């Protein structure tokens, strides 16, 4: 009989979101009159920018004419898109990134998981705690961990806590690690990293021969001019970092699907025979073999993000969600809660009131205010006693939810 990849059996049963759904459904059944507002998930709610829609409509028409029809495109993405990304996202910010170092893909979720294909199985891997769960689960699937303990931590991973005590900036590991996942602005805490913070990590990586996986899915939410948008704004990062970006949260492409990964040609890692190998070549080979490119229509839609109208429309979308985040921060603070994030990020990270666990607070909010958020403990052990509220929603829902929270929870 065929056998399975036993590593899948080590995965914690997709516990968080099914458990949230179970509790919400049970409450809704018992209280059919309750108007439940969900501020739990990180999916966008507002429509695609007009510039992107128009570009995609035009691209559909091109596909209907033999003269302009497109079949398979380059696996790495069309040059016209890669060039705009390189110029506007990176070179305009002083980063030495060339279009050939950009790989267009259908999502950062896939890329942050797939990147492990080009790395060995004996690396020591560090993740922050709390963490975007994809980083952990893809390492479990690849056999890079042992079993999970009762705190939800996998044997073999190095966890770097991010809590109010360290201002949600993880400390350098006290052991040597080879691969490091960093995500700023952060999901779930909404924390940001300063130039000094990132410099510390780049220096560590260069000293230890480590590679940083820098997830910048939320970079468009940075409004503080002093904060870096890309790890390549830090000197030396070209030699130690891979960056992931997505059109999901800036241009609302969660359902349209487009993202990119930057693999600098200067990046190297060791082969078993001791040789230094170019990671660009391996990723290029991986993508050419296992991926056939993003749809032409979607790439045209993504290209429109870089037009003048596209830039203005994306800015308006970001401002809308940031205003939601501001309302959540203000109202929850007024209700007596300690809130973090929500300024350069679409997530507000709330400290649960004294004595309440993340799940206790989830139940209290659901039952008293009929509002759903995400228990922080679902993102890692250090997320216990925190709670994530997402700013991705309509203004009406955000105002109504925060009004109810003040009415029911104000101390
Ligand atoms: N990285 C982080 C930190 C995220 O929070 C998300 C989505 O929520 C993603 C990546 C996934 O992005 P994409 O939609 O491009 O797969």
């Amino acid at each position: 009989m065929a056998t399975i990849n036993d590593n899948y059996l080590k995965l914690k049963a997709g516990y968080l979101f099914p458990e949230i759904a179970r509790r919400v459904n049970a409450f809704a059944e018992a209280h059919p009159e309750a108007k439940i507002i969900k501020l739990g998930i990180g999916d966008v709610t507002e429509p695609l920018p007009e510039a992107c829609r128009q570009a995609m409509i035009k691209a559909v028409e091109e596909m209907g004419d033999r003269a302009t029809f497109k079949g398979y495109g380059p696996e790495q993405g069309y040059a016209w898109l890669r060039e705009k990304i390189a110029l506007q996202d990176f070179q305009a910010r002083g980063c030495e990134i060339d279009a050939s170092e950009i790989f267009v893909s259908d999502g950062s979720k896939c890329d942050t998981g797939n990147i492990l294909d080009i790395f060995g199985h004996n690396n020591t891997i560090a993740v922050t705690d709390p963490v975007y769960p994809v980083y952990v689960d893809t390492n479990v699937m690849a056999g890079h961990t042992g079993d999970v303990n009762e705190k939800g931590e996998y044997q073999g991973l190095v966890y770097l806590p991010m809590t109010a005590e360290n201002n949600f900036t993880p400390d350098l590991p006290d052991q040597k690690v080879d691969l490091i996942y960093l995500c700023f602005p952060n999901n779930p805490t909404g924390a940001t990293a300063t130039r000094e913070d990132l410099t510390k990590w780049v220096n560590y990586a260069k000293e230890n021969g480590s590679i940083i996986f820098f997830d910048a899915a939320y970079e468009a939410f940075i409004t503080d001019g002093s904060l870096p948008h890309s790890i390549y704004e830090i000197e030396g990062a070209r030699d130690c970092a891979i960056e992931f970006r997505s059109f999901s949260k800036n241009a609302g492409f969660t359902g349209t699907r487009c993202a990119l990964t930057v693999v600098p040609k200067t990046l190297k890692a060791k082969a078993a025979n001791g040789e230094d190998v170019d990671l660009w070549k391996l990723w290029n080979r991986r993508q050419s073999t296992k991926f056939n490119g993003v749809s032409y229509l979607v790439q045209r839609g993504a290209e429109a993000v870089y037009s003048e109208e596209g830039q203005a429309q994306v800015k308006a979308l970001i401002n809308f969600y940031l205003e939601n985040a501001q309302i959540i921060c203000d109202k929850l603070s007024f209700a007596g809660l300690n809130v973090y994030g929500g300024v350069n990020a679409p997530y507000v990270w709330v400290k649960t009131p004294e004595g309440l666990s993340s799940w206790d607070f989830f139940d209290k909010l659901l039952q008293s205010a009929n509002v759903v958020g995400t228990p922080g403990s679902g993102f890692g052990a250090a997320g216990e006693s925190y709670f994530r509220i997402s700013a991705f929603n309509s203004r009406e829902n955000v105002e109504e939810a925060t009004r109810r929270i003040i009415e029911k929870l104000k101390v």
Side-chain angles (χ1 to χ4, degrees):
M1 200 187 220
T3 60
I4 61 155
N5 174 352
D6 274 278
N7 296 312
Y8 278 63
L9 303 181
K10 292 183 204 157
L11 291 165
K12 283 181 278 176
Y15 172 71
L16 179 64
F17 288 100
E19 179 60 17
I20 290 175
R22 193 190 67 74
R23 292 191 194 204
V24 172
N25 292 341
F27 181 79
E29 253 172 51
H31 304 88
E33 73 298 342
K35 289 198 172 55
I36 297 173
I37 299 179
K38 294 182 180 168
L39 298 179
I41 49 168
D43 196 1
V44 296
T45 54
E46 302 308 298
L48 284 180
E50 173 76 13
C52 302
R53 293 204 308 272
Q54 290 309 326
M56 285 193 270
I57 290 168
K58 184 162 168 270
V60 170
E61 292 304 329
E62 287 176 49
M63 293 298 254
D65 182 341
R66 177 171 279 111
T68 47
F69 171 78
K70 302 276 186 303
Y72 291 123
E75 290 97 349
Q76 301 80 358
Y78 284 100
W80 36 259
L81 176 56
R82 300 168 86 195
E83 278 156 18
K84 290 196 176 73
I85 294 168
L87 186 67
Q88 297 192 39
D89 282 346
F90 296 101
Q91 293 163 13
R93 301 196 64 84
C95 309
E96 259 182 75
I97 294 297
D98 186 72
S100 63
E101 298 175 313
I102 288 166
F103 293 82
V104 177
S105 79
D106 60 354
S108 281
K109 186 179 193 175
C110 341
D111 285 356
T112 53
N114 292 336
I115 197 72
L116 292 176
D117 271 13
I118 64 168
F119 287 92
H121 294 297
N122 294 321
N123 290 306
T124 306
I125 295 155
V127 293
T128 62
D129 179 9
V131 67
Y132 176 52
V134 173
Y135 312 152
V136 171
D137 288 358
T138 50
N139 274 292
V140 177
M141 290 171 175
H144 298 168
T145 72
D147 287 326
V148 68
N149 68 16
E150 67 294 340
K151 278 168 74 188
E153 292 169 339
Y154 285 92
Q155 233 173 27
L157 289 184
V158 176
Y159 288 90
L160 308 170
M162 294 173 80
T163 61
E165 286 67 45
N166 63 6
N167 204 21
F168 302 99
T169 49
D171 297 327
L172 293 175
D174 45 22
Q175 67 183 98
K176 187 172 166 330
V177 299
D178 304 305
L179 302 177
I180 304 155
Y181 290 83
L182 295 178
C183 171
F184 290 107
N186 187 254
N187 176 16
T189 64
T192 51
T194 62
R195 210 166 280 279
E196 293 68 40
D197 293 330
L198 293 188
T199 303
K200 181 180 85 174
W201 283 102
V202 166
N203 290 344
Y204 172 90
K206 289 192 70 176
E207 275 160 30
N208 291 282
S210 333
I211 300 287
I212 297 171
F213 296 149
F214 189 73
D215 188 340
Y218 298 97
E219 67 77 31
F221 291 84
I222 296 176
T223 49
D224 178 338
S226 72
L227 295 174
H229 288 236
S230 165
I231 191 139
Y232 303 116
E233 289 178 50
I234 309 303
E235 205 186 322
R238 274 186 61 82
D239 302 325
C240 64
I242 289 175
E243 181 163 309
F244 303 95
R245 289 215 179 180
S246 173
F247 292 92
S248 284
K249 308 298 164 85
N250 62 348
F253 273 46
T254 52
T256 307
R257 312 304 302 145
C258 199
L260 60 112
T261 289
V262 186
V263 185
K265 288 185 172 160
T266 41
L267 212 53
K268 293 188 191 305
K270 280 254 177 283
N273 65 7
E275 195 189 324
D276 285 349
V277 176
D278 286 346
L279 289 173
W280 184 93
K281 283 194 186 141
L282 298 192
W283 185 245
N284 191 46
R285 184 63 204 261
R286 192 261 169 219
Q287 290 299 82
S288 308
T289 304
K290 291 197 182 180
F291 185 59
N292 242 343
V294 177
S295 123
Y296 173 69
L297 318 179
V298 169
Q299 291 192 64
R300 282 294 185 201
E303 183 194 24
V305 165
Y306 297 94
S307 66
E308 214 174 295
E309 317 82 75
Q311 290 284 292
Q313 289 158 13
V314 163
K315 196 156 187 246
L317 271 179
I318 298 286
N319 285 344
F320 172 79
Y321 292 125
L322 284 176
E323 280 164 18
N324 279 352
Q326 182 70 54
I327 294 169
I328 296 167
C329 286
D330 290 350
K331 299 280 172 70
L332 265 57
S333 301
F334 183 69
L337 294 161
N338 282 330
V339 297
Y340 304 94
V343 179
N344 294 285
Y347 297 118
V348 179
W349 192 238
V350 183
K351 181 90 179 97
T352 60
E354 193 67 39
L356 293 188
S357 72
S358 296
W359 278 109
D360 292 342
F361 189 65
F362 173 91
D363 289 333
K364 185 169 174 162
L365 214 56
L366 175 62
Q367 284 156 20
S368 62
N370 307 155
V371 172
V372 179
T374 313
S377 54
F379 297 100
E384 179 53 275
S385 304
Y386 289 95
F387 197 77
R388 189 188 78 173
I389 296 190
S390 159
F392 292 121
N393 218 308
S394 66
R395 184 59 47 82
E396 194 189 352
N397 275 350
V398 165
E399 284 179 342
E400 173 63 14
T402 51
R403 189 192 61 72
R404 287 188 208 159
I405 293 173
I406 290 179
E407 187 187 307
K408 303 291 180 184
L409 296 191
K410 188 169 180 335
V411 286

